[in-house]
Amino acid sequence: MTKVLVLYYSSYGHIEQMADAVAEGARSAGAEVDVLRVPETAPAEVVAAAHFKTDTAHAVIEGPQVLKEYDAIIVGTPTRFGRMSSQVAAFFDTAGGVWARGELNGKVGGAFTSTATQHGGQETTLFSIITNL
């Protein structure tokens, strides 16, 4: 059975909802799916002041070594200034070892994003994710 990871970051829950929908779609096609989130990197006082959604059913990914366990990795992030969130970028910055060892070769990659506006940089955000994949 194909093993899919839906990996995401969500400040307010919108991307989390999309991650759940992506996971449901993959499951309906017969895949085994895990949904994990990247660690929060914003300071706790910023998270509290901005009212980030901190209650979630999804665990934080244990580290980049987990990526090698999957056949496909689908990444979701809100758009931040036309690119992926710093939380997702920080996670990918830790994945150099698994990449250098070739442990990500042959995996299928996908990406999804959302913004608050019609022309909020969705296209460039997707490219910033795909570059890492």
Side-chain angles (χ1 to χ4, degrees):
M1 178 179 292
T2 302
K3 229 178 140 179
V4 175
L5 171 63
V6 179
L7 181 65
Y8 76 95
Y9 174 75
S10 186
S11 298
Y12 299 104
H14 303 100
I15 298 297
E16 181 180 26
Q17 288 180 342
M18 292 174 72
D20 288 335
V22 169
E24 182 56 36
R27 285 185 190 109
S28 72
E32 177 185 333
V33 183
D34 291 328
V35 181
L36 298 172
R37 57 191 172 94
V38 300
E40 180 61 72
T41 59
E45 58 273 11
V46 171
V47 170
H51 306 288
F52 284 6
K53 183 181 184 298
T54 57
D55 60 323
T56 177
H58 306 297
V60 173
I61 192 167
E62 293 179 12
Q65 73 282 354
V66 173
L67 298 175
K68 63 187 180 182
E69 299 172 11
Y70 295 92
D71 302 304
I73 302 165
I74 305 170
V75 179
T77 178
T79 294
R80 297 289 188 262
F81 302 100
R83 62 181 296 272
M84 73 179 87
S85 69
S86 61
Q87 291 84 351
V88 173
F91 175 78
F92 279 130
D93 285 347
T94 69
V98 292
W99 173 82
R101 289 187 297 275
E103 295 169 333
L104 303 178
N105 291 350
K107 298 189 182 300
V108 173
F112 61 97
T113 190
S114 179
T115 66
T117 63
Q118 183 177 1
H119 300 290
Q122 299 92 322
E123 304 87 354
T124 55
T125 300
L126 293 172
F127 280 123
S128 75
I129 299 168
I130 291 167
T131 299
N132 285 273
L133 297 177

